[in-house]
C-alpha cells in the first residue's frame, strides 16, 4: 500500500520533523497571509494618486511613491491576491486534469494511450511561456483566461508523471491481489491506485506553484497579465522599472515577495519529497 495509506501518521510526523518542510511551509504561509490580509491594512486605495512621481519614503508612505504617485506600500498590500489565487488555481486545474488524463492513458486501451501520449508530446514541444503568450495575445487577458492558459501549459507534464506512476502501480502485487479478490475497478482505482499516486503528485503541485508564480509575474511584466490600474506584484515591476535607480522600493519590494513565495513553495515541495523518500527507505 501507499505511504499515505499504510503510514499516514508516520508520514506526517516525518513531514513535521523535516526542516525543509517547516521552512518552506512557514515562508509560503507568511507570503500568502500577507497577500490575503494585506488589503485590510492598506493605508491608501491601491489606485489613489497621493504623492509625487517616484517620491521617496516619508511618514505617509513607508516605501515611497511609484511612477505616477501611488503609495507603493498600499499597492504592495493589494497586489498579492491576484498572483496568489491565479497561481493556486492554475496549478490545481493542471493537477486535476493532468492526473485524470494520465490515469486514463495508463489504464485505457492502447489506442487511447497512444493518442493522449501523442497529444502530450505536441504540447510539450512548445515552451510554456511562448504557448501562454500566444494564447493570451489572441484571446485576451481576462484573469480566468490566463489561469486556464497557464494550466494548459502545465497539464502535459502532469499527464506524463501520472501515467508513469500509474503504469508502475498497476503492476504491483497488491493491485493484482485486489483484482483476484473480485474488487470493482472503481474500488481498485480509489483505494489502491490513487492513494499511491498522491505523494509524487503533491510534490509536483509544489513545483507547479513555483512555476506558476514565475510565469504569471512574467506575463504581468510583459504586459499580458493583470491590466492596470489594478495592483499586481508583477505589474508593479514593469511599471516602475524605469525609476529603479530613483525609487528602488517600487521594484524591489514586489520582487522580494515573488521570490519568497517561489522559494517557499519550491523548498516545501523538495522537503515533502525528502520525507517521502525517508519513509520508503524504512
Amino acid at each position: 500500500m501507499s505511504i499515505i495509506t499504510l503510514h499516514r501518521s508516520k508520514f506526517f510526523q516525518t513531514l513535521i520533523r523535516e526542516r525543509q518542510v517547516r521552512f518552506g511551509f512557514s515562508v509560503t504561509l507568511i507570503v500568502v497571509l500577507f497577500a490575503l490580509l494585506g488589503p485590510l491594512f492598506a493605508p491608501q486605495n491601491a489606485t489613489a494618486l497621493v504623492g509625487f512621481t517616484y517620491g521617496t519614503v516619508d511618514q505617509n508612505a513607508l516605501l515611497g511613491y511609484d511612477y505616477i504617485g501611488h503609495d507603493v506600500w498600499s499597492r504592495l498590500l493589494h497586489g498579492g491576491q491576484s498572483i496568489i489565487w491565479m497561481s493556486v488555481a492554475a496549478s490545481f486545474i493542471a493537477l486535476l486534469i493532468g492526473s485524470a488524463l494520465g490515469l486514463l492513458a495508463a489504464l485505457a486501451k492502447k489506442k487511447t494511450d497512444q493518442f493522449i501520449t501523442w497529444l502530450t508530446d505536441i504540447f510539450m514541444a512548445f515552451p510554456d511561456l511562448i504557448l501562454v503568450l500566444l494564447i493570451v495575445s489572441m484571446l485576451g487577458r481576462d484573469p480566468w483566461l490566463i489561469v486556464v492558459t497557464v494550466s494548459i501549459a502545465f497539464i502535459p507534464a502532469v499527464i506524463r508523471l501520472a501515467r508513469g506512476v500509474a503504469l508502475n502501480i498497476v503492476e504491483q502485487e497488491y493491485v493484482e491481489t485486489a483484482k483476484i479478490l473480485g474488487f470493482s475497478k472503481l474500488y481498485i482505482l480509489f483505494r489502491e491506485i490513487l492513494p499511491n499516486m498522491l505523494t509524487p503528485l503533491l510534490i509536483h503541485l509544489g513545483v507547479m506553484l513555483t512555476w506558476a508564480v514565475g510565469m504569471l509575474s512574467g506575463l504581468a511584466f510583459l504586459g499580458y497579465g493583470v491590466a492596470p490600474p489594478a495592483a499586481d506584484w508583477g505589474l508593479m515591476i514593469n511599471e516602475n522599472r524605469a525609476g529603479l535607480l530613483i525609487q528602488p522600493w517600487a521594484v524591489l519590494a514586489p520582487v522580494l515577495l515573488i521570490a519568497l513565495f517561489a522559494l517557499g513553495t519550491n523548498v516545501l515541495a523538495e522537503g515533502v519529497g525528502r520525507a517521502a523518500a525517508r519513509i520508503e527507505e524504512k
Side-chain angles (χ1 to χ4, degrees), residues 90-274:
S91 300
F92 271 98
I93 290 172
L95 184 73
L96 293 174
I97 297 177
S99 300
L101 291 175
L103 272 170
L104 179 62
L107 303 177
K109 296 179 180 180
K110 186 175 181 181
K111 288 185 178 180
T112 303
D113 183 17
Q114 289 177 339
F115 176 74
I116 294 175
T117 303
W118 171 76
L119 202 60
T120 300
D121 291 340
I122 290 177
F123 274 93
M124 293 195 74
F126 293 93
D128 290 346
L129 185 58
I130 301 299
L131 178 63
V132 173
L133 283 172
L134 179 64
I135 298 175
V136 172
S137 62
M138 291 189 301
L139 301 179
R141 51 201 283 187
D142 181 78
W144 271 108
L145 177 61
I146 296 173
V147 167
V148 171
T149 304
V150 172
S151 66
I152 289 173
F154 290 166
I155 285 173
V158 182
I159 292 175
R160 295 190 69 172
L161 174 64
R163 177 181 177 274
V165 173
L167 285 174
N168 180 60
I169 291 172
V170 295
E171 296 177 355
Q172 300 300 315
E173 292 181 358
Y174 55 83
V175 175
E176 294 297 330
T177 302
K179 291 178 180 178
I180 293 172
L181 293 174
F183 289 110
S184 67
K185 291 182 178 179
L186 284 177
Y187 177 91
I188 294 172
L189 175 63
F190 287 103
R191 295 297 299 271
E192 304 293 347
I193 297 177
L194 281 177
N196 286 282
M197 297 177 62
L198 284 179
T199 300
L201 289 176
L202 289 176
I203 294 170
H204 190 69
L205 174 64
V207 175
M208 283 195 296
L209 284 171
T210 305
W211 295 346
V213 70
M215 184 174 294
L216 290 167
S217 301
L219 285 174
F221 179 79
L222 294 172
Y224 291 94
V226 175
D232 178 84
W233 292 342
L235 183 61
M236 288 177 66
I237 299 169
N238 182 37
E239 291 173 336
N240 298 289
R241 57 194 173 93
L244 179 61
L245 298 178
I246 304 170
Q247 217 295 57
W249 286 114
V251 174
L252 296 182
V255 166
L256 177 62
L257 287 170
I258 291 170
L260 284 175
F261 183 73
L263 173 66
T265 54
N266 191 44
V267 172
L268 179 60
E270 185 177 344
V272 173
R274 285 177 178 270

Side-chain angles (χ1 to χ4, degrees), residues 50-67 69-73 243-250:
V50 293
F52 298 103
T53 299
Y54 293 128
T56 55
V57 176
D58 60 32
Q59 61 181 358
N60 297 318
L62 295 176
L63 299 178
Y65 303 94
D66 69 2
Y67 74 117
H70 297 129
D71 176 20
V72 172
W73 176 242
L244 179 61
L245 298 178
I246 304 170
Q247 217 295 57
W249 286 114

